Amino acid sequence: MDPIRSVYENDSDMADLVRSFVAEAPNRAQLLDDLLSGGELDELQRLAHQLKGAGGGYGFTLVTDVAARLEDALKEGAAESVIKERTSTLCEVLRAVRAPEGG
Amino acid sequence: MNPEAPNPNRVLVVDDSEFIHELVRARLREEGLQVEHQLTGEAGLRHAIDVQPDMILLDIELPDLNGFEVCRQLKERAETRTIPVIFLTGQSDTAAKVRGLDLGAVDYVIKPFDDVELRARVRAALRTKRLQDLLQQQSFLDGLTGLWNRGYLDHRLEGELNIARRYERRLSLLLGDIDHFKRVNDSFGHLFGDYVIQRIAEALSTHARRSDIACRYGGEEFALLLPSAGIDEAALVAERLRIAVEASPFHLRGTQLQVTISFGVASTEGLDPVTNESLIARADRALYNAKEAGRNCVHICVPDQPGAICSFTDFQSQLSD
């Protein structure tokens, strides 16, 4: 996946926050993977819900959209294959977010 | 409620995601607000009760108590009831919005939020809160004396009792009633009666500590609420007040008029259940006894002897025994 940039990366109020979000994103991706393989679907749904709420605020609308799709699938009790696919999409997106250097 | 202090603009964010805490803090920076945060419903509720922020941004999905329940409890408690709550949540369905607003929230903002919109909504909520505080302050003041009125006593007592219970602190209440006030009114007229009430209100304010709450409880009745004070301290305050009133006669058309006041004193020590009603009833019984005993005296509900009421003199000698 191509690198994803925050729409706020040039906003001086937000640059530091965007960097900390980006730094933390791979850990969240790992956590999503772990929760899925551990079958902890409630926690997975909570985390998807949190990422949905936060992503757009940090200028990563795609995080919000993809996380919302995972949350919906979990809420509706969708098939395992769907949940798996949407979790891995969210993980990919989280691993693709980037921030400008510096700070 | 602290109407004298300039608005400190404290905002509490209750959200289980630190990403949101940081984001809200950054987005509200230019509003000059003090932003505090908590990660769980329980902690948020406790924080709100302890520091009484000017507004609360509340998430719905929290790990323990959900946001609806937090809102319900905030609106139930006297000390947090008027704090505006804005739901800041990822739940965008109409049912959740309606439920949140019906629980008493002033607004509902969906995450991810637009920062310009959030700031405008926060400003609007704080504006309303300021007017509401002003209005409430007006409605809680007694016009004749400038003391707090009975409505405020009821409101404040509930909050102080919660604090006393939580921190195992004592709380005492004085009820005072001007002796033979009807005679004063009948002999010298209502205007003079009003003047007497004002002067006694001044004495009450002068003798109260900064933290005490002085109220005009009814026509010629006064109340003084003493947070953190035990029965012995409260009894002393009452006796000092009684003496101060006795020692300041009124002068009218060349006549000297001695006005006196009787007090009933009670505290939360040994009180069960600890409620507004039970504490007021205790002080009221003591006041009744003081009147029966001949007026111009202080009677005290003795905490460790249920139902026992004694005079100030007896109470002092018991203490020194």
Side-chain angles (χ1 to χ4, degrees):
Chain A
M1 188 175 278
D2 291 338
I4 303 167
R5 320 289 305 205
S6 164
V7 297
Y8 298 131
E9 69 174 34
N10 296 318
D11 178 337
S12 59
D13 284 343
M14 289 295 296
D16 283 346
L17 284 186
V18 170
R19 269 192 288 276
S20 68
F21 183 90
V22 166
E24 179 58 23
N27 300 333
R28 300 294 159 130
Q30 187 59 51
L31 186 56
L32 287 167
D33 274 338
D34 293 348
L35 291 172
L36 180 67
S37 51
E40 293 176 67
L41 296 189
D42 287 348
E43 275 305 302
L44 187 65
Q45 186 177 328
R46 260 172 57 81
L47 188 53
H49 179 80
Q50 282 188 10
L51 288 165
K52 177 184 84 173
Y58 284 81
F60 297 110
T61 319
L62 192 59
V63 172
T64 287
D65 294 345
V66 172
R69 279 171 53 77
L70 173 58
E71 188 194 14
D72 288 346
L74 286 157
K75 260 195 206 155
E76 293 156 8
E80 208 187 312
S81 58
V82 176
I83 290 168
K84 231 173 173 167
E85 187 213 308
R86 291 186 183 181
T87 304
S88 92
T89 309
L90 179 54
C91 289
E92 261 180 70
V93 170
L94 285 172
R95 289 183 174 117
V97 295
R98 293 289 181 275
E101 299 298 315
Chain B
M1 192 179 73
N2 188 359
E4 289 84 16
N7 197 332
N9 289 332
R10 293 174 85 162
V11 174
L12 170 63
V13 181
V14 186
D15 196 299
D16 61 344
S17 163
E18 273 156 357
F19 284 142
I20 297 297
H21 295 173
E22 291 312 313
L23 189 60
V24 170
R25 186 191 300 282
R27 291 313 200 182
L28 292 183
R29 191 165 293 139
E30 65 191 61
E31 296 299 311
L33 304 164
Q34 183 179 334
V35 181
E36 294 152 8
H37 50 76
Q38 292 293 344
L39 286 161
T40 66
E42 252 339 315
L45 200 55
R46 223 174 312 125
H47 191 112
I49 293 164
D50 286 348
V51 315
Q52 312 208 353
D54 293 285
M55 72 167 303
I56 299 172
L57 292 169
L58 181 59
D59 191 13
I60 291 175
E61 303 205 352
L62 295 166
D64 51 349
L65 288 181
N66 73 37
F68 293 129
E69 181 55 23
V70 174
C71 185
R72 197 187 61 74
Q73 293 196 29
L74 286 168
K75 295 298 159 191
E76 213 172 68
R77 302 183 74 105
E79 66 272 47
T80 53
R81 189 170 296 147
T82 60
I83 303 171
V85 172
I86 295 181
F87 277 108
L88 182 60
T89 171
Q91 288 197 15
S92 55
D93 56 298
T94 305
K97 288 182 200 167
V98 170
R99 189 170 168 205
L101 293 168
D102 280 350
L103 278 167
V106 295
D107 213 337
Y108 196 102
V109 177
I110 291 161
K111 288 187 292 199
F113 60 85
D114 180 286
D115 58 306
V116 179
E117 182 186 331
L118 181 71
R119 280 195 291 277
R121 290 186 186 273
V122 164
R123 283 196 298 271
L126 287 172
R127 221 162 29 230
T128 312
K129 169 74 161 39
R130 270 193 293 276
L131 289 173
Q132 192 182 319
D133 281 354
L134 206 64
L135 207 64
Q136 195 174 47
Q137 186 194 6
Q138 297 296 325
S139 75
F140 277 149
L141 285 177
D142 175 59
L144 180 64
T145 61
L147 297 184
W148 297 108
N149 63 19
R150 183 175 182 155
Y152 183 71
L153 180 74
D154 288 337
H155 165 84
R156 186 65 186 268
L157 186 52
E158 197 182 328
E160 290 296 333
L161 283 174
N162 282 332
I163 292 170
R165 267 191 297 260
R166 258 171 78 75
Y167 298 104
E168 295 179 19
R169 278 199 220 141
R170 300 179 297 179
L171 176 71
S172 295
L173 177 68
L174 267 54
L175 281 183
D177 187 273
I178 304 174
D179 297 324
H180 298 300
F181 184 70
K182 193 170 176 315
R183 270 191 226 163
V184 176
N185 257 344
D186 290 350
S187 318
F188 302 96
H190 286 282
L191 275 181
F192 185 73
D194 284 352
Y195 174 65
V196 169
I197 287 173
Q198 286 171 328
R199 283 272 308 275
I200 289 182
E202 276 170 33
L204 203 65
S205 303
T206 311
H207 283 77
R209 301 169 306 176
R210 201 185 244 291
S211 56
D212 294 343
I213 298 119
C215 312
R216 182 172 176 214
Y217 192 65
E220 68 266 26
E221 256 193 291
F222 297 90
L224 187 66
L225 187 62
L226 300 100
S228 307
I231 192 77
D232 36 353
E233 199 179 332
L236 269 176
V237 172
E239 178 66 4
R240 244 182 265 141
L241 269 165
R242 185 197 65 76
I243 292 170
V245 172
E246 187 184 36
S248 318
F250 290 80
H251 300 276
L252 185 73
R253 297 191 290 262
T255 337
Q256 181 172 307
L257 172 72
Q258 169 123 60
V259 174
T260 61
I261 185 165
S262 302
F263 281 103
V265 186
S267 84
T268 52
E269 295 152 275
L271 186 64
D272 183 35
V274 181
T275 61
N276 276 20
E277 294 73 23
S278 64
L279 183 62
I280 291 173
R282 246 192 189 186
D284 206 36
R285 266 211 323 279
L287 174 58
Y288 180 81
N289 270 44
K291 293 281 182 182
E292 289 288 293
R295 301 180 170 83
N296 191 20
C297 59
V298 172
H299 274 225
I300 295 137
C301 251
V302 189
D304 43 4
Q305 300 162 32
I309 292 169
C310 72
S311 69
F312 180 74
T313 327
D314 289 348
F315 183 71
Q316 288 299 91
S317 61
Q318 273 184 27
L319 282 184
S320 54
D321 280 350

